[in-house]
Amino acid sequence: MFTATADLILPSTTTGSFPRPRWFDVSMWGRPLDTCMLDVRFREKFQDAMTVVIGDQERAGLDVLTHGDLHVDEDLAGRAWHHYPLQRWAGFEGDHLQPEETTAPWLHYPPGTLLNEIYTGWRWPHVVDKIQHRPLDYAKIWRIAQARTRKPVKFGTCCSQVMALFLDIHTPHYTDKRQVIWDMAEAMNKELLALRAAGCRCIQIEEPTFHFMANTYGKDHAEVKFMIDAFNREVQGLDDVEIWIHTCWGNPNMQRVMEDTSYANSIEIYLERCRGDVWTLEMKDRNQRDLELFEPFKHDLKKKVAIGAVSHRVLQADRPEEVAGEIRKALRYIPPERLIVSSDCGFGRQGANREIAFYKASAIAQGANLVRRELGLPESYVPAADPRLQLDVVPGRAASFT
């Protein structure tokens, strides 16, 4: 069900998180958004920051915008990406270091590495009772963002099953992590249905664990099959929503969290077995590895495929010509009507500064235009590339609008 990209060929976007203005120095720290919005200073800063982030994406020329993950606290390596729901749903308590014996096998790193600093610095709540939904205010956040643009706003949220990787059970209510994951999927589904009821028709579910787990256990392992069922439960009832499934290989403080980054064991899962309309893949930072896997699906792609054409881990601002080159490579295996151009992952999470993120985003839009021009397709207007709108010009040499 294509709602945001139905009439767009090679639409441009970013994954989600975006650097916030330096003056946006407030966080929710577990409180409901409605409570925070009673503080006039928070209310003003939150809405103004949303205006800035939406405006940056408009000026960059992107076709599908995001809310920038501005509800996520600016904490260590983006911990709040997981914690925003965990701090608000019933059934969780405290902040605890996760024991090594219950940590996912691919998340162990030696002292003296940044990933060790991150994963030992993060703390997690314990599961102490039955997990139950409490409002996350996603609908309100989306309304604030969508009110600032006529372009579609894609709302992204962390997938329930990836949050469960870090949780330990301390209640007889649960005897199996699967029960925790299923109740979290049902809780998130309630929030997503409320988001849909508010009018949002483009929702991104971020980082289901199929690609991690298929590489570790095999694509037909019982745990992988359960995770697919849990994901499909999470998005149940969103039939008239364009569902994006975002995958990458890690983004805590811009870090890749594992070495085996092949999608070979999970491509059939994402394309055929899980509900959704758009699958996003980390590609630029992996030198477009695995693009050839799409060859057998080229003439029967049921989902659109969003490739990362710029890396969120590299601080060099890409040039539009470089992005166009990445798109041309992808077009060998993915038809233009099924291809979306994006970033590998978000620019937040202690990531790039605003200037670098902005010019990477604009390079995505301009690179898409270069390839559209070659294919004889309509181009999107990119204000940042309009010579008449340049900030600093020599007097008397400004381009005319006539």
Side-chain angles (χ1 to χ4, degrees):
M1 179 69 188
F2 300 113
T3 53
T5 63
D7 301 317
L8 299 174
I9 305 295
L10 299 179
S12 60
T13 188
T14 63
T15 297
S17 61
F18 217 78
R20 51 199 72 198
R22 291 186 179 93
W23 47 259
F24 183 49
D25 55 3
V26 294
S27 285
M28 298 186 201
W29 302 123
R31 297 173 296 164
L33 176 61
D34 279 346
T35 300
C36 296
M37 293 290 275
L38 291 173
D39 180 337
V40 293
R41 292 168 182 81
F42 182 97
R43 189 181 186 94
E44 180 177 306
K45 285 186 176 182
F46 189 82
Q47 293 189 89
D48 286 355
M50 190 72 78
T51 302
V52 168
V53 168
I54 293 293
D56 276 355
Q57 294 174 78
E58 291 259 23
R59 188 164 61 91
L62 298 175
D63 299 303
V64 179
L65 314 186
T66 81
H67 67 291
D69 280 5
L70 292 192
H71 64 294
V72 175
D73 298 331
E74 193 169 24
D75 56 6
L76 175 62
R79 186 189 76 147
W81 176 63
H82 309 88
H83 263 56
Y84 187 86
L86 298 179
Q87 290 172 323
R88 289 161 176 82
W89 287 339
F92 301 103
E93 185 177 273
D95 262 330
H96 308 275
L97 178 64
Q98 188 179 20
E100 280 202 25
E101 59 268 20
T102 64
T103 302
W106 47 79
L107 297 178
H108 293 269
Y109 306 96
T113 63
L114 178 54
L115 285 172
N116 176 269
E117 170 86 3
I118 291 169
Y119 284 110
T120 58
W122 280 355
R123 298 293 186 271
W124 300 90
H126 285 162
V127 181
V128 297
D129 204 345
K130 180 173 173 58
I131 297 166
Q132 294 178 306
H133 172 263
R134 288 175 179 167
L136 302 180
D137 297 312
Y138 283 177
K140 186 168 191 166
I141 299 164
W142 174 79
R143 287 196 299 269
I144 293 171
Q146 190 63 74
R148 283 152 175 78
T149 180
R150 292 188 175 184
K151 293 183 176 181
V153 171
K154 170 166 57 84
F155 192 99
T157 180
C158 180
C159 183
S160 294
Q161 59 189 255
V162 77
M163 290 187 279
L165 292 175
F166 305 93
L167 298 176
D168 290 322
I169 300 172
H170 291 261
T171 172
H173 187 86
Y174 296 110
T175 58
D176 190 303
K177 183 68 77 71
R178 289 187 180 191
Q179 298 168 311
V180 171
I181 293 169
W182 195 265
D183 281 357
M184 292 172 69
E186 291 189 332
M188 184 61 78
N189 180 252
K190 289 181 180 178
E191 190 67 27
L192 298 180
L193 290 174
L195 179 59
R196 175 203 167 276
C200 181
R201 291 296 182 270
C202 188
I203 297 175
Q204 178 171 279
I205 312 300
E206 295 162 357
E207 215 59 24
T209 57
F210 315 140
H211 49 311
F212 301 157
M213 298 187 73
N215 284 358
T216 303
Y217 306 117
K219 66 183 181 69
D220 294 317
H221 191 277
E223 288 297 313
V224 176
K225 291 180 178 179
F226 170 76
M227 291 298 189
I228 296 169
D229 290 341
F231 177 88
N232 288 337
R233 176 64 185 91
E234 190 163 337
V235 298
Q236 187 175 313
L238 301 176
D239 299 331
D240 59 348
V241 173
E242 183 170 297
I243 299 173
W244 292 44
I245 309 164
H246 169 65
T247 65
C248 76
W249 297 96
N251 189 8
N253 203 344
M254 306 164 63
Q255 302 304 298
R256 185 191 299 133
V257 301
M258 58 191 66
E259 293 304 314
D260 183 0
T261 65
S262 173
Y263 287 107
N265 289 331
S266 55
I267 184 170
E268 182 266 339
I269 295 174
Y270 284 110
L271 290 180
E272 303 287 342
R273 294 163 63 185
C274 60
R275 296 176 180 172
D277 305 286
V278 178
W279 178 27
T280 84
L281 299 90
E282 179 180 319
M283 280 293 182
K284 173 66 174 181
D285 201 59
R286 301 169 55 255
N287 297 314
Q288 297 277 26
R289 180 185 171 198
D290 292 333
L291 261 180
E292 67 280 359
L293 297 175
F294 287 93
E295 179 71 39
F297 300 92
K298 184 173 183 179
H299 301 294
D300 188 31
L301 263 177
K302 299 177 180 65
K303 290 182 175 70
K304 293 189 178 183
V305 177
I307 61 154
V310 304
S311 172
H312 59 293
R313 300 193 183 101
V314 177
L315 295 182
Q316 180 69 34
D318 307 72
R319 294 181 295 110
E321 294 79 10
E322 294 171 320
V323 173
E326 301 297 316
I327 298 171
R328 294 186 195 104
K329 293 176 190 175
L331 287 174
R332 299 173 190 167
Y333 304 99
I334 303 168
E337 64 274 11
R338 283 289 184 263
L339 185 63
I340 296 173
V341 192
S342 185
S343 55
D344 276 345
C345 197
F347 295 126
R349 319 265 185 272
Q350 283 186 270
N353 65 37
R354 276 184 66 195
E355 289 77 17
I356 292 173
F358 173 81
Y359 283 104
K360 280 179 173 286
S362 191
I364 294 172
Q366 293 179 60
N369 272 348
L370 289 175
V371 178
R372 286 171 176 150
R373 193 176 307 153
E374 294 167 1
L375 297 177
L377 299 170
E379 300 176 33
S380 295
Y381 176 57
V382 180
D386 189 333
R388 302 168 298 179
L389 302 179
Q390 297 307 287
L391 180 63
D392 299 304
V393 296
V394 176
R397 295 186 186 176
S400 172
F401 276 84
T402 58

